[in-house]
Amino acid sequence: MEQLGAYLMTQKVTPLVNRYVVTAPDGGDVLAFGEQERFTLKEELTFWTGEDRARRLGAFRALKALDFGTAYDVTGADGQPLGFFRKDARASLPRSTWHLVPEGRPAAVGRERSLPVALARRVWQVVDTFLPVPVPPVPFVYHFDFVHDGEPVLSVERLWGLRDRYVVRVHDPELDPALALCVAAGLDALQSR
């Protein structure tokens, strides 16, 4: 997969599997296709170069089962480690915070871009938990910016709409695109847990 610098990742709605289709931002050919089974003890997702699953691009897998603070190892096409990412539970109280650690490189910290949106999402989720009637899904879009020493490494921006769609921008040319896509899909699949 060539490094374009920006990707459009769209989640396909299915009952038992999270499916992700990755294209260039303006659409076009599929650059990557990912699947993650829901309701598993250890979260795992695999990306291939297309929906035919002919060639593996990369994958992530939880290190522990049913642990909300676990790390997720990311491997490349050949199974070699690309790095890992994990949620920082304490720092996530006001704004969701994740750590991205590329193999052999310094860590980047990713936070929700907007504190007011983060707080509004939390209030909405509390209301949904305690109201006796169903509340529509959280209407707030969130964006994550991963930085190292004040320099942008990766950004994941959720687009407004009924479907989960994200623009994934790789700012650091040394960041492997498979690692970036695994983190972006992980944010979608794991953010509400």
Side-chain angles (χ1 to χ4, degrees):
M1 178 173 183
E2 66 183 69
Q3 183 150 347
L4 300 174
Y7 308 94
L8 176 65
M9 184 176 71
T10 304
Q11 182 185 21
K12 287 185 168 183
V13 179
T14 63
L16 299 175
V17 177
N18 288 330
R19 287 195 173 112
Y20 300 94
V21 176
V22 179
T23 63
D26 56 355
D29 293 338
V30 172
L31 302 173
F33 172 77
E35 277 192 339
Q36 178 222 11
E37 289 185 30
R38 295 181 186 175
F39 316 113
T40 59
L41 292 178
K42 274 192 169 183
E43 300 290 350
E44 185 174 358
L45 176 140
T46 302
F47 271 108
W48 294 275
T49 56
E51 293 185 67
D52 61 359
R53 296 178 182 89
R55 204 175 98 225
R56 185 177 183 269
L57 181 63
F60 77 73
R61 182 182 174 112
L63 294 179
K64 296 179 184 175
L66 298 175
D67 182 357
F68 299 119
T70 192
Y72 300 87
D73 276 340
V74 180
T75 55
D78 56 1
Q80 292 298 313
L82 296 178
F84 69 90
F85 63 97
R86 68 175 177 82
K87 188 168 189 174
D88 186 330
R90 181 174 294 168
S92 291
L93 291 175
R95 274 196 296 197
S96 294
T97 303
W98 292 78
H99 296 271
L100 163 60
V101 184
E103 189 71 21
R105 306 218 30 246
V109 177
R111 287 188 182 84
E112 283 184 86
R113 188 177 295 162
S114 171
L115 180 59
V117 168
L119 295 174
R121 278 190 329 99
R122 281 154 181 72
V123 168
W124 192 271
Q125 288 169 338
V126 168
V127 168
D128 184 35
T129 301
F130 293 107
L131 274 183
V133 295
V135 175
V138 176
F140 307 102
V141 296
Y142 56 82
H143 310 300
F144 281 87
D145 295 309
F146 288 81
V147 297
H148 170 71
D149 284 343
E151 293 297 317
V153 174
L154 172 69
S155 62
V156 180
E157 299 175 350
R158 185 171 184 208
L159 300 174
W160 184 259
L162 295 176
R163 298 178 77 184
D164 288 344
R165 295 180 315 134
Y166 301 87
V167 175
V168 180
R169 288 188 174 84
V170 178
H171 303 287
D172 180 348
E174 294 185 36
L175 183 65
D176 191 294
L179 177 57
L181 293 176
C182 283
V183 169
L187 290 173
D188 176 74
L190 307 168
Q191 179 58 28
S192 296
R193 297 184 193 165

